[in-house]
Amino acid sequence: MDALSRGMDMVRTGLSLDETGNAKDALRWYMEGAEYFLRSLKLDSLNNAQKQKIGQQVNYILTRAEEISRARPRLSAGRSVYVPFTDPRMDSDLEGFVIVERPRKEGPGVMVDEEHPKFEQVYCIINGIKHSMRCSPPSPHPTACVGLLCDDIFDETATVCFHNTDARVSHTGTAPRQWIRSFEFTSYAPAAFRMLREAAGVSDESFLESVTRYSLHELASNGKSGSAFFASSDSKYIIKSLTLEEFSFFRTIFKDYFYHMMECPSSLLSFFFGVYIVRHAGQADPLHLVVMDNLLCVSPGLRLKELYDLKGSTKGRFTEPEKRKSPYTVLKDLDIVDRRTLCVGPTYRPLFTQLERDTRFLRTHDIMDYSLLVAVYEAPSIPPQHTPTASVRANSAFRSDSGGIAARTSTEEELGEIYSIGIIDILQEYNLRKKLEHSLKTVVDAPEDISCLDPTRYASRFLAFMGKVISISELTRL
């Protein structure tokens, strides 16, 4: 029996089990059937139209599999603390933050006030983080006990339950009141994340000051995932919503991610300061969130010139000239090839070593589709090494020059620019859906041109491209 026939039989079995309510077993048959469908895409006997039809069938199977996964039992709540909205220990009936326009550096984003459609969401995020951290026990020392940590620390949760006794919360005398529903706020692995923050030099007090004292700013998102993005009022942190798939995958790699970041204080991977879940009563799909460092938070006085998202692929990786009206417009791989080389000088030769180490971590965990985010700033008149950094990762070797890397020649002569560099979008596993995407795209395009590659080839192409655009001097590349 060929792969296509076996795949169809398995999917039929899955459908039968699904119809009888046995979703757990149906999920297993769906996934095995999808695997055989993907194998059939490699058969030379199939034409492109047949392959496209198989791709549509696999896409339906994966969509149904995701629906079944969402219906599975949720995380164990772990420790729970009940907090009524009128608890006298809290700040004035849990107001929690001030709806005022805090002076903020130039940048994108709209402040979320009481009239904003996402006010309730931001309210839950800010109050949840504030009060869950108050209830969390102290963590072990960030370095002394790392090798002795119990595995439970990486999967424990702590939940704070907010019960609204009067159902309405107002923060100003003039703004209309908003209905705030009761909700649960769950902190994922709170002790482990506290250790990560302490290792990065971020205290609980400074973290809460940035994230919870004032309202957040909503950022526009042009990504395919549809994730929501918020920035703290001081721009130090980005809060991003995660899909269930991303959250579930992160749970499987968190322990290894934790040790990688502890061992590599200058890692270029996105630094996660906390992962949280917001769940309203009767809500089917909870909101999963991650708090990350903001790569665009550098020292005051720097002016953003260009912003790049680099993957190492060429298919469609350019930005139309008419869209390049703002320095916040994201440019891509073909754009940087035509425009510039990133000159970092001999001081930052270890940059590529760290890129290789981080990429090896991603490859080992079957992660692909990540990018190197590069922000190019005009350097201030004060020498970079004497300018204080606003970055929350000031202990990173690649944030020491005004929050980034000063552009230099081979003789360490400054070139008048600062680069802020980091690897983003690191939670995309090379799963069945990505394998399907790869199989379908390679029907038309050469594998080396498309973004969707298996983790090994993706990492190799990524590093090769960065070696072309990052230079130790004006002539010598990494």
Side-chain angles (χ1 to χ4, degrees), residues 42 69 197 209 242 299 316 319 326 328 384 403 410 465 470:
K42 300 177 182 179
S69 296
R197 292 194 297 268
E209 171 71 19
L242 300 176
S299 298
T319 302
S326 164
Y328 290 95
S410 58
F465 184 82
I470 301 174

Side-chain angles (χ1 to χ4, degrees), residues 143-165:
T143 56
C145 304
V146 166
L148 303 175
L149 294 176
C150 174
D151 284 352
D152 291 346
I153 195 175
F154 300 108
D155 204 37
E156 68 176 357
T157 62
T159 299
V160 182
C161 305
F162 296 88
H163 178 65
N164 194 348
T165 55

Side-chain angles (χ1 to χ4, degrees), residues 263-309:
E263 293 168 4
C264 303
S266 296
S267 172
L268 297 166
L269 299 181
S270 296
F271 198 103
F272 296 159
F273 291 88
V275 170
Y276 308 100
I277 307 169
V278 179
R279 182 181 289 105
H280 291 282
Q283 183 179 11
D285 297 322
L287 176 66
H288 300 90
L289 303 159
V290 60
V291 180
M292 310 177 290
D293 61 322
N294 184 6
L295 285 171
L296 302 186
C297 182
V298 292
S299 298
L302 297 185
R303 183 179 66 84
L304 182 65
K305 295 172 63 177
E306 297 164 4
L307 186 61
Y308 294 94
D309 180 281

